[in-house]
Amino acid sequence: MRSKEEILNSYNTTGTDGLPEISAGDLLNAMEAYKQEWAEAAFAAARQQDASGNYTFNNYAEFIANIEKDTKPVDEFGITLAAVADSIVTNFLPDDESVTEFDFNFTMQGKDYTAFYTKDTQGYWKMSRWTEQ
């Protein structure tokens, strides 16, 4: 794994005064590259194995693809609806810790919808589906 200095140096350019400089866009790219390398290193350190000793995911790309497949809505409207529901879900969270599912109604673009949430194994609420009223 490259150090943060190596990553930054790969995006540096030399200014007219001869000193190294980096543009805002390149700095953002360097930060993203650094984050990606650390995420891959963390994944390698914490790879899960199934009961037979085989790895659940062979590499980091498979792991990310699996997460994105499970969490991203299929259509553009579903993405928008999920974003709206996720932004207001904290107003509807149940007080009872033992509850694992709940739903709430909201209005978007003049239409009424119901968002259904379930609690995952780590205790996070995720929208499982939605319906139009």
Side-chain angles (χ1 to χ4, degrees):
M1 189 172 82
R2 297 182 299 169
S3 70
K4 61 184 170 189
E5 289 81 13
E6 290 171 322
I7 294 171
L8 278 172
N9 288 338
S10 69
Y11 288 94
N12 277 343
T13 58
T14 303
T16 55
D17 56 2
L19 296 173
E21 59 184 41
I22 189 167
S23 69
D26 283 342
L27 179 60
L28 184 61
N29 290 336
M31 291 168 55
E32 188 64 29
Y34 185 67
K35 180 189 90 164
Q36 183 69 20
E37 286 199 20
W38 274 100
E40 289 181 18
F43 168 78
R47 285 176 75 179
Q48 293 181 350
Q49 293 180 334
D50 60 18
S52 63
N54 297 324
Y55 289 116
T56 307
F57 303 103
N58 292 321
N59 56 46
Y60 184 70
E62 283 182 18
F63 171 69
I64 293 298
N66 185 61
I67 288 175
E68 289 177 350
K69 172 185 64 97
D70 292 341
T71 59
K72 286 189 178 176
V74 176
D75 58 54
E76 290 296 319
F77 182 76
I79 292 170
T80 303
L81 192 131
V84 170
D86 287 345
S87 71
I88 61 174
V89 70
T90 56
N91 297 317
F92 302 99
L93 292 176
D95 292 329
D96 185 357
E97 296 275 332
S98 65
V99 173
T100 59
E101 295 180 358
F102 77 96
D103 61 82
F104 64 91
N105 300 321
F106 66 100
T107 302
M108 184 176 86
Q109 298 176 346
K111 294 183 181 177
D112 294 325
Y113 298 94
T114 302
F116 297 87
Y117 278 77
T118 57
K119 190 183 282 188
D120 66 12
T121 56
Q122 290 133 356
Y124 295 105
W125 290 103
K126 294 193 179 188
M127 189 170 86
S128 56
R129 62 188 175 92
W130 58 270
T131 60
E132 184 177 346
Q133 303 297 314

